[in-house]
Amino acid sequence: DGMGSTPKANRRWTDILAERLAERGGRAWGVANQGINANRVLTDGAGESALARLDRDVLSLAGVKRLILFEGVN
């Protein structure tokens, strides 16, 4: 989710995480940002619920070994 971030500046928290992982060297990491603003956990709201999107946006990606789920802020 890049809400409030400068457009096209790559300054979302996921961009900063990817930079920090790259700086560590060694293992190659990829960071997938599937953020969406104003969704809900279990039921659809402004978009599909997080539960409905979990398989498509995360679990179906090849090679996923770790997940950071940032959900339900507001």
Side-chain angles (χ1 to χ4, degrees):
D1 185 12
M3 185 66 174
S5 181
T6 304
K8 300 184 185 206
N10 294 331
R11 300 308 304 160
R12 299 162 295 197
W13 72 269
T14 49
D15 299 317
I16 295 167
L17 174 61
E19 287 174 10
R20 288 184 178 181
L21 290 171
E23 288 170 0
R24 292 181 65 185
R27 179 184 294 177
W29 293 89
V31 176
N33 180 359
Q34 295 294 340
I36 187 169
N37 192 29
N39 75 325
R40 296 181 181 183
V41 177
L42 300 175
T43 60
D44 293 345
E48 287 183 286
S49 71
L51 185 61
R53 296 178 59 218
L54 184 62
D55 186 56
R56 180 191 72 209
D57 291 353
V58 179
L59 302 178
S60 66
L61 297 176
V64 171
K65 293 185 172 47
R66 291 167 183 81
L67 163 69
I68 298 172
L69 179 64
F70 183 52
E71 176 64 49
V73 175
N74 50 0

